[in-house]
């Protein structure tokens, strides 16, 4: 039997960030992961650290808070997370989109974000490989990317150096409560752990962990597929995506992109990430397909076709691999960073397509929540009980 | 060898004799060229498996980087260049 | 989309025979082959300009016979050369892409049964200097030399398995100078295997063996038995080779190195099946300890554990081209039978089973004789590149293991080993053993020999080839 002041379940970017910040408070932390560090969604994704896709308001503020923690992190933890600060670009296809984008950009700028519109001439100047008919773009200077696997590994190692125990290859089987509904012990594949505090950072596995203590957590896997090219020529150095991406992400009605039925059906939106190694990651799709992580030719072709529409030269890049990840989706797209009716049982999960970006702030907020300190941002919009009526309704 | 099947290709700008029916890799080896590529650490690499699976023989062929020289037949006037992995340029038509 | 009853992947002896037999019985067939010619790894290069040796003469006649059979049923067979299969969808639709700018024949083939006949690849072991220009696997060098290309003046060829005498023979005929032939096999092992080997051989194979050895002796090729190449040195290309003696267990004996001048080196340890597609389809396989590789499970009709998926030839278990053709015939016949076409069930023929048994015995004896000892991994130094594509060195793997990497997938995530263009086909062969060594654990602790997860596209292809303009 082991003991810990706090147990973090899940070794993805969220769990490792929580373990990192929690261990800073001097608590004795154990992180438990059934597989390996970053073996889940955090290794089947891209590595954008973005604010350009956040809705003006709370969403954007939360994103920016997290983003500001990235530039200094490699140095802070003594581990290269491959932070690349080249900025991001949203590509605009039509005059109609341009109008929507200008409004969006204005509202983000009002939040104090480093965004600006680029006209036709300017965007082709800085992106010479772009398809000729692209009418403009929106640039966000503070955006960047990391290697998410390195991020999780670096955070885990840093937490370990602060005294945290990292247990991989061991699944949580059950959580026992004391009689008045308070966390008592964790039953694992290995030794059990006595602890008063649990952070459920199991990503798409969070609902299963919740059920162990009778807490319902509305997270569903939302599949996304990615194409990987070989290391190749320098097409662009920025993180690029289509403006229509935001529309897919927020499921905005009354806005139609000119795309094929296959693209529409699979929520295909163009995203391009040049990796530190010189490959390109091309994405992506969005659909609910249970826990299926197989990629399929229809979606791959749709993503490929969309990519070539924006960067014709990509047609000549060689595809070496495809993979699919499962985004932990919540009904309102916001993560859950929250206490629960069970004393000592906290949730930090449900980041959908933003988990890498929001990892650091999530770790921090979780720590502040557990320590009872005042949080860097109001936690109300992230509370689990915001779904109470929906959950009751579903029953 | 009949005369019309012999021609030249350009390797790093210098003409070298070639023969119809041969691959780029065969042609270069026959002409004493062994380094086809430099890795990102600057190490020399040549062809290895000679059957298209290892991708070690990658070169810039007619402006296309990452072309497998063991799988590409030579053609008259073909331009072949050593590939430097640290500095790969976009294909000509896309520059 | 093209629709046929039987689709065959791979135009080597197994695939050619399968296509011909299914068509002979009346089925409509598509035969997909990634290179421009049919015949597979041996037979398509049998005819290559140099005057044919008796063995190549035989290979050429075998190839001609297989081609004739294919053409005899040309009305029912669609040949699709220069196209690779990059995915098999729902077990019934093959996804194709053209290779090297070939015009598109078709992008999809729908079928009711399919036969995987994708052949074998070479078994390699990394060693210091193996990335220098001038170092090849045995088959890689052999195909250059067969075409009359001698990429060096003094050759050292090393390793084990049947390709070693084949390459020696090709080099001698092309006028190459063999500075050393280095075999890991000792005299003692040879003797131990000589009976199983001979029992598995037909008259031709026996002749082939004797012929090869005769040529080597006649040409005074210096032969080192029970030895291995321990490193290759050179600045821009191979300049010298070190050969080390091996003890009875196959472990290198320190202090027994000899240096040999050589500018071209080939090292290989037999063949292993290419299993990307069978794995993708979920065909069950077992790890064959004796052969040292994963083998696809099949019944006597060459059907895998997945209904309607047949696997024939070296792509299932390495047995050579005669057995491959025989298995192809069985698979093609059985697929046609399942579709309701008439004819005998050849798998019940005693003569066929006997020939197959013989070939299986030979294949296994050769696998066993060529499987490299784990001791060879001790030759690898910290600076040795393990993953050629991503330039991952042993020290990088060591660092990841020290930091807690627990399985090969974890190693991959931490170091990028296996993430490059060849998709782990080479480093994947040794990654388990290396990890076990680094973690200081015994193979017995790991019930499973892990493999990198198969990902589509099974063969890299450009987006252009994937998308194309036509369907
Ligand atoms: C295609 C795609 C692209 C994306 N791109 C981006 C991007 O560019 N930028 C961005 O910010 N976000 C992106 N995301 C989203 C991001 O990847 C996720 O939000 C993030 O990885 C979620 O991290 P996590 O730690 O919550 O989950 P995970 O990484 O899945 O970690 C959860 C861990 O919990 C473990 N676990 C589960 N159950 C148990 C148990 N019972 N016992 C022990 N351990 C358990 C699992 O093994 C797993 O390792 C993308 C996602 C996808 C699919
Ligand atoms: C490098 C090498 C050298 C060899 N040299 C000799 C030798 O000199 N003498 C000898 O007796 N034996 C040799 N062999 C063994 C010999 O190749 C086999 O015994 C025999 O060819 C097996 O026949 P097969 O039909 O099973 O496979 P193969 O002959 O290998 O045929 C498989 C075919 O499938 C094609 N293919 C594979 N994947 C795909 C795909 N995804 N899509 C489309 N097509 C695909 C390949 O291009 C290949 O033509 C060699 C093997 C190798 C690997
Ligand atoms: S030498 Fe291996 S792919 Fe060309």
């Amino acid at each position: 039997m082991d003991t810990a002041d706090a147990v973090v379940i899940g070794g993805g970017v969220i769990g490792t960030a929580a373990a990192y910040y929690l261990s800073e408070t001097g608590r004795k932390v154990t992180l438990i992961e059934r597989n390996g560090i970053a073996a889940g969604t955090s290794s089947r994704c891209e590595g954008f650290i973005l604010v350009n896709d956040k809705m003006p308001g709370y969403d954007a503020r939360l994103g920016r808070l997290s983003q500001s923690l990235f530039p200094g992190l490699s140095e802070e933890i003594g581990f290269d997370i491959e932070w690349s600060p080249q900025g991001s670009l949203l590509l605009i296809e039509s005059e109609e989109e341009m109008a929507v984008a200008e409004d969006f950009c204005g509202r983000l700028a009002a939040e104090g974000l480093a965004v600006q519109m680029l006209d036709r001439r300017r965007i082709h100047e800085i992106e010479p490989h772009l398809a000729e008919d692209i009418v403009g773009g929106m640039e966000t200077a503070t955006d960047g990317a990391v290697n998410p696997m390195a991020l999780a590994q670096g955070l885990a190692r840093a937490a370990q150096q602060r005294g945290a125990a990292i247990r991989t290859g061991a699944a949580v089987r059950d959580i026992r409560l004391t009689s008045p509904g308070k966390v008592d012990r964790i039953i694992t594949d290995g030794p059990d752990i006595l602890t008063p505090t649990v952070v459920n950072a199991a990503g798409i596995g969070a609902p299963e962990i919740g059920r162990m203590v009778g807490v319902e957590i509305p997270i569903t896997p939302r599949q996304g597929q990615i194409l990987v090219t070989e290391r190749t020529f320098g097409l662009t150095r920025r993180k690029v995506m289509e403006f229509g991406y935001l529309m897919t992400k927020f499921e905005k009605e009354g806005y139609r992109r000119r795309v094929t039925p296959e693209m529409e059906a699979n929520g295909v939106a163009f995203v391009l990430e040049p990796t530190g190694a010189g490959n390109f990651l091309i994405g992506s799709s969005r659909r609910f397909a249970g826990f299926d992580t197989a990629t399929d030719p229809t979606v791959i072709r749709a993503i490929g076709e969309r990519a070539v529409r924006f960067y014709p030269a990509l047609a000549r890049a060689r595809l070496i691999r495809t993979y699919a990840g499962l985004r932990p989706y919540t009904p309102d797209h916001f993560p859950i960073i929250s206490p629960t009716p069970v004393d000592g049982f906290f949730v930090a999960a449900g980041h959908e397509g933003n988990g890498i970006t929001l990892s650091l702030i999530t770790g921090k907020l979780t720590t502040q929540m557990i320590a009872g300190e005042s949080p860097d941002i109001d936690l109300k919009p992230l509370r689990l009980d915001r779904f109470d009526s929906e959950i009751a309704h579903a029953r | 060898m009949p005369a019309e099947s012999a021609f030249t290709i350009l390797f790093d700008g210098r003409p070298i004799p070639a023969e119809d029916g041969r691959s780029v890799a065969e042609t270069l080896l026959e002409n004493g060229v062994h380094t086809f590529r430099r890795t990102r650490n600057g190490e020399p690499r040549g062809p290895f498996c000679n059957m298209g699976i290892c991708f070690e023989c990658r070169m810039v062929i007619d402006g296309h980087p990452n072309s497998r020289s063991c799988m590409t037949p030579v053609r008259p006037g073909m331009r072949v260049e050593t590939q430097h992995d640290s500095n790969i340029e976009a294909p000509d038509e896309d520059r | 989309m093209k629709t046929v009853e039987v689709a065959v992947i791979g135009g080597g002896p197994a695939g050619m025979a399968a296509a011909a037999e299914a068509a002979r019985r009346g089925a409509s067939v598509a035969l997909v082959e990634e290179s421009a010619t049919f015949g597979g790894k041996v037979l398509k290069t049998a005819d290559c300009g140099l005057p044919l040796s008796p063995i190549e003469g035989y290979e050429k006649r075998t190839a001609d016979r297989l081609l004739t059979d294919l053409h005899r049923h040309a009305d029912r067979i669609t040949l699709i050369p220069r196209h690779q299969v990059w995915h098999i969808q729902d077990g019934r639709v093959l996804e194709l892409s053209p290779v090297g700018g070939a015009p598109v024949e078709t992008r999809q083939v729908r079928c009711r049964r399919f036969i995987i006949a994708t052949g074998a690849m070479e078994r390699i072991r990394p060693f210091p200097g193996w990335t220098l220009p001038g170092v090849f696997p045995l088959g890689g060098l052999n195909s250059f030399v067969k075409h009359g290309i001698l990429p060096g003046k003094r050759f050292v060829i090393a390793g084990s398995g049947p390709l070693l005498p084949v390459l020696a023979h090709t080099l001698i005929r092309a006028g190459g100078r063999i500075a050393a032939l280095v075999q890991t096999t000792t005299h003692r092992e040879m003797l131990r295997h000589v009976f199983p080997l001979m029992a598995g051989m037909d008259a031709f194979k026996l002749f082939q063996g004797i012929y090869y050895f005769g040529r080597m002796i006649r040409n005074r090729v210096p032969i080192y038995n029970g030895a291995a190449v321990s490193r290759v040195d050179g600045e821009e290309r191979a300049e010298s080779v070190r050969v080390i003696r091996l003890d009875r267990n196959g472990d290198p004996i320190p202090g027994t190195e000899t240096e040999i001048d050589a500018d071209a080196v080939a090292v290989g340890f037999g063949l292993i099946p290419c299993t990307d597609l069978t794995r993708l389809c979920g065909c069950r396989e077992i790890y064959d300890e004796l052969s040292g590789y994963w083998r696809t499970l099949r019944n006597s009709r060459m059907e895998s554990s997945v209904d309607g998926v047949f696997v024939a030839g070296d792509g299932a278990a390495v047995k050579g081209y005669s057995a491959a053709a025989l298995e192809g015939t069985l698979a093609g016949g059985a697929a046609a039978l399942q579709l309701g076409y008439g004819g005998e069930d050849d798998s019940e023929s005693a003569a066929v089973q006997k020939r197959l048994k013989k070939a299986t015995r030979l294949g296994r004896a050769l696998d066993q004789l060529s499987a490299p000892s784990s001791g060879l991994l001790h030759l690898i130094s910290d600076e040795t590149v393990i993953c050629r594509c991503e330039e991952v060195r042993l020290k990088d793997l060591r660092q990841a293991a020290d930091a807690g990497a627990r399985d090969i997938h974890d190693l991959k995530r931490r170091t990028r080993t296996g993430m490059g263009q060849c998709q782990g086909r080479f480093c994947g062969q040794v990654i388990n053993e290396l990890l076990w060594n680094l973690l200081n654990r015994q193979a017995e602790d790991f019930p499973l020999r892990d493999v990198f997860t198969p990902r589509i596209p099974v063969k890299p292809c450009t987006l252009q080839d994937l998308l194309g303009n036509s369907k």
Side-chain angles (χ1 to χ4, degrees):
Chain A
M1 176 85 61
D2 287 352
T3 60
D5 297 329
V7 170
V8 177
I9 305 173
V13 289
I14 303 299
T16 53
Y20 172 67
Y21 287 105
L22 266 173
S23 56
E24 193 177 19
T25 62
R27 282 180 175 72
K28 188 176 166 226
V29 177
T30 296
L31 183 147
I32 179 155
E33 161 60 51
R34 71 172 158 207
N35 205 315
I37 295 299
T41 306
S42 302
S43 61
R44 295 149 203 260
C45 54
E46 298 181 272
F48 292 108
I49 305 300
L50 299 180
V51 296
N52 77 357
D53 61 346
K54 307 289 178 280
M55 287 314 278
Y58 184 85
D59 194 12
R61 280 206 305 283
L62 184 67
R64 182 61 199 132
L65 268 178
S66 199
Q67 190 175 62
S68 64
L69 299 169
F70 279 90
L73 189 71
S74 290
E75 200 170 319
E76 183 180 316
I77 63 176
F79 192 100
D80 186 8
I81 61 162
E82 298 172 32
W83 164 248
S84 96
Q86 253 81 32
S88 73
L89 211 52
L90 286 173
L91 302 178
I92 295 162
E93 275 191 279
S94 64
E95 293 302 339
E96 186 198 351
E97 263 188 35
M98 193 74 176
V100 182
E102 269 166 355
D103 171 62
F104 179 71
C105 181
R107 287 196 291 149
L108 282 180
E111 301 276 344
L113 297 186
V115 288
Q116 60 163 327
M117 294 303 293
L118 304 175
D119 64 13
R120 192 179 199 125
R121 197 184 50 81
R122 180 75 187 126
I123 196 154
H124 289 281
E125 216 167 77
I126 62 171
E127 286 293 311
H129 295 294
L130 209 54
E132 274 168 24
D133 63 335
I134 298 303
V135 301
M138 184 186 105
E139 188 180 42
T140 309
T142 55
D143 282 351
V146 298
N147 172 343
M149 295 168 270
L151 173 66
Q153 255 123 31
L155 289 170
R157 201 186 70 153
Q160 206 168 15
Q161 283 164 352
R162 286 171 173 173
I166 308 291
R167 272 174 42 184
T168 57
V172 169
R173 294 290 171 211
D174 202 2
I175 300 171
R176 299 278 154 77
L177 307 180
T178 56
S179 38
K182 189 172 168 359
V183 169
D184 180 40
R185 75 169 64 183
I186 314 260
I187 314 296
T188 79
D189 287 343
D192 295 350
I193 312 170
L194 269 180
T195 185
T197 309
V198 171
V199 179
N200 176 2
I204 52 165
E208 192 189 328
I209 302 286
R211 279 193 290 276
M212 294 173 186
V213 293
V215 172
E216 195 137 340
I217 302 170
I219 290 177
T220 347
R222 195 184 199 192
Q223 194 208 53
Q225 303 190 14
I226 302 279
L227 281 49
V228 189
T229 74
E230 66 190 347
R231 294 180 172 188
T232 185
F233 45 88
L235 196 63
T236 176
R237 298 175 60 198
R238 295 175 184 79
K239 336 292 161 223
V240 184
M241 60 222 78
E242 60 166 300
F243 187 69
Y245 168 79
L246 298 189
M247 305 305 142
T248 345
K249 193 170 153 184
F250 299 115
E251 292 162 4
K252 274 277 172 298
E253 285 308 318
Y255 182 88
R256 297 225 82 69
R257 294 179 298 156
R258 261 172 295 163
V259 294
T260 63
E262 289 80 18
M263 293 175 190
E264 200 61 59
N266 293 293
V268 168
F270 172 63
V271 252
L272 182 69
E273 178 183 349
T275 70
N279 312 69
F280 287 100
L281 304 183
I282 308 173
S284 177
S285 58
R286 284 185 143 78
R287 64 172 186 182
F288 296 102
F291 287 82
D292 185 8
T293 53
T295 54
D296 80 81
T298 309
V299 179
I300 292 174
R301 285 209 174 91
I303 294 174
E305 205 176 324
R306 194 69 186 146
V308 171
R309 183 261 173 278
F310 287 96
Y311 284 92
L314 273 177
R316 271 177 283 276
R318 200 182 280 123
L319 203 63
I320 55 173
R321 201 167 53 243
T322 57
Y323 60 81
L326 301 172
R327 304 179 184 90
Y329 165 92
T330 65
D332 65 0
H333 306 279
F334 281 114
I336 303 165
I337 304 176
S338 176
T340 65
V342 174
D343 201 3
F345 187 78
F346 299 87
V347 181
H351 297 70
E352 218 267 333
N354 287 314
I356 313 303
T357 305
L358 298 180
S359 57
L360 296 182
I361 195 65
T362 301
K364 249 184 133 183
L365 291 172
T366 304
T367 303
Q368 289 161 345
M369 171 172 74
I370 290 170
E373 292 165 9
S374 74
D376 288 356
I377 191 168
D378 177 20
L379 285 177
K380 192 143 171 286
L382 308 180
R383 283 181 65 91
L384 177 63
D385 53 21
R386 72 184 189 267
F387 298 115
D388 277 356
S389 59
E390 271 169 69
I391 291 169
H393 188 74
R395 280 213 184 97
Chain B
M1 198 44 69
E4 64 269 22
S5 70
F7 47 82
T8 57
I9 63 169
L10 284 179
F11 168 66
D12 284 348
R14 125 181 100 90
I16 60 169
E19 223 175 78
D20 211 13
R22 291 235 188 278
S23 69
V24 171
E26 289 174 336
T27 306
L28 293 181
L29 286 178
E30 195 158 39
N31 285 281
V33 176
H34 295 274
T35 298
F36 287 31
R37 185 169 61 94
R38 295 263 165 202
T39 69
R40 301 209 305 173
N41 294 323
E43 290 184 8
R45 290 284 187 275
F48 186 64
C49 73
N50 194 21
M51 56 186 269
I53 62 171
C54 73
F55 288 77
E56 286 287 62
C57 63
R58 285 163 2 236
M59 304 189 81
V60 183
I61 300 182
D62 283 338
H64 289 273
N66 285 329
S67 304
R68 279 171 291 178
S69 57
C70 75
M71 300 292 275
T72 313
V74 283
R75 274 194 314 269
M78 186 175 244
R79 284 174 302 122
V80 176
E81 288 150 64
T82 309
Q83 176 162 324
H84 295 270
D85 285 354
S86 54
N87 182 25
I88 302 179
E89 286 180 15
D92 294 351
E93 53 268 58
D94 301 317
R95 251 173 226 168
Chain C
M1 162 119 47
K2 170 138 199 84
T3 304
V4 292
E5 287 170 303
V6 178
V8 183
I9 310 163
M16 292 165 85
E21 180 63 12
R24 189 184 70 78
R25 290 177 184 243
S28 59
V29 177
L31 175 57
V32 190
E33 163 59 44
E34 62 186 331
S35 44
T37 49
F38 292 86
K41 297 215 190 52
V42 231
L43 304 180
K44 75 183 157 210
T45 55
D47 193 6
C48 59
L50 290 175
L52 299 183
S53 73
I55 287 159
E56 285 157 345
Y58 180 83
E59 288 169 358
K60 168 113 176 58
R61 284 193 299 282
T62 310
D64 289 346
R65 187 173 48 75
L66 284 164
L67 272 176
T68 313
D69 284 352
L70 263 191
H71 291 310
R72 183 170 301 141
H73 307 289
D75 51 333
R76 278 195 288 274
I77 303 179
T78 312
L79 295 179
I80 312 181
R82 300 190 71 189
H83 281 65
Q84 57 187 7
V85 173
W86 59 270
H87 184 38
I88 297 173
Q89 205 182 336
D90 304 327
R92 289 298 173 266
V93 179
L94 308 186
E95 299 281 345
L96 312 190
S97 66
V99 177
V104 180
E105 293 272 340
T106 177
R107 293 191 183 278
Q108 288 177 322
V109 175
R110 178 181 290 284
C111 60
R112 293 173 60 200
R113 297 287 180 279
F114 66 92
I115 301 171
I116 300 177
T118 48
M121 63 180 280
E122 267 184 270
R123 180 151 52 193
I124 54 89
R125 285 293 174 267
F127 55 86
W130 76 304
T131 49
L132 277 170
V135 181
F136 305 90
L138 295 170
L141 180 57
N142 193 50
S143 44
F144 280 126
V145 180
K146 261 190 160 178
H147 284 181
I149 313 285
L150 285 174
K153 296 204 166 56
R154 288 169 57 85
F155 293 81
V156 168
I157 62 179
S160 57
L163 285 184
L164 200 50
V166 170
L167 175 57
H169 167 245
T170 320
L171 274 171
I172 291 168
R173 289 198 323 112
R177 169 138 180 242
I178 304 179
L181 184 153
V182 183
Q183 303 201 69
T184 49
T185 328
T186 56
H187 280 305
R188 188 199 253 286
E189 275 175 292
M190 293 280 254
L191 282 178
R192 188 149 53 83
H193 284 99
V194 90
F195 287 110
L197 281 174
M198 288 184 35
M201 285 182 181
D202 52 27
F204 175 74
K205 280 268 154 26
L206 206 59
F207 164 72
Q208 188 173 4
I210 295 168
Y211 178 85
Y212 282 154
F213 273 95
R215 290 291 290 239
M216 279 191 272
I217 292 166
R218 197 142 35 95
N219 285 276
R220 301 212 168 77
V221 174
I223 299 181
Y224 295 70
N225 288 314
V229 165
S230 59
R231 62 180 297 137
V232 175
D233 289 295
E235 279 292 318
E236 286 295 295
R237 58 181 290 203
E239 290 166 15
S240 77
V241 176
R242 275 189 241 178
V243 171
I244 196 164
R245 288 198 16 228
L246 304 177
D247 68 14
R248 227 179 250 219
N249 302 322
D251 289 338
I253 309 173
T256 61
E257 280 183 318
T258 321
E259 192 163 339
I260 300 171
D261 275 352
D263 54 2
V265 187
V267 188
F269 301 90
L271 303 171
I272 55 175
C274 298
T275 50
D276 333 271
L277 284 176
T278 45
R279 242 168 226 162
L280 198 66
C281 293
C283 301
R284 276 187 53 206
E285 39 181 39
I286 55 163
Y287 189 78
D288 187 325
E289 291 289 343
L290 287 179
S291 301
Y293 56 69
W294 285 95
R295 188 155 61 72
T296 312
L297 291 174
R298 298 168 298 170
N299 64 17
S300 61
R301 295 177 182 82
M302 303 298 128
E303 193 169 9
S304 72
S305 61
V306 180
D307 285 349
V309 178
F310 295 80
V311 190
D314 278 6
V318 180
K319 299 175 191 172
Y321 60 83
S322 313
L326 193 59
E327 289 190 357
T329 307
L330 280 177
L337 271 179
Q338 282 192 0
L339 293 168
Y341 291 99
E344 314 265 285
D345 182 349
D346 289 338
S347 69
E348 282 169 7
S349 141
V352 169
Q353 290 303 339
K354 195 170 153 215
R355 274 177 63 200
L356 255 189
K357 216 175 219 158
K358 207 163 177 159
T360 307
R361 212 177 299 149
L362 175 64
R364 301 205 83 197
L366 285 173
D367 285 340
Q368 221 175 322
L369 204 59
S370 54
S373 71
S374 60
L376 290 183
L377 295 176
H378 299 312
L379 297 170
I380 299 174
S381 75
D382 249 9
E383 293 298 326
T384 307
V385 169
I386 307 297
C387 167
R388 297 174 75 111
C389 301
E390 296 288 328
E391 275 191 287
V392 180
R393 290 160 210 276
L394 183 66
K395 64 175 180 201
D396 304 319
L397 298 179
R398 184 187 305 285
Q399 215 173 27
D402 288 347
R406 38 188 307 279
D407 57 31
I408 65 167
H409 312 287
D410 207 348
L411 268 188
K412 180 175 177 176
R413 284 194 297 274
R414 289 171 196 253
T415 65
R416 303 184 60 83
T417 195
M419 282 196 189
Q421 282 96 335
C422 91
Q423 296 166 311
R425 284 186 172 79
F426 290 104
C427 64
Q429 297 181 22
V430 293
I431 200 75
N432 282 297
E433 283 85 348
L434 287 177
L435 182 67
W436 300 342
N437 271 330
L438 293 173
L439 296 179
N440 228 337
R441 302 257 279 280
Q442 299 302 311
E444 301 86 74
D445 296 350
F446 294 82
L448 203 75
R449 268 173 185 267
D450 242 349
V451 291
F452 291 133
T453 318
R455 298 265 188 222
I456 57 173
V458 161
K459 302 255 172 157
C461 53
T462 61
L463 272 180
Q464 181 170 271
D465 288 341
L466 204 78
L467 301 171
N469 322 314
S470 66
K471 285 267 150 158

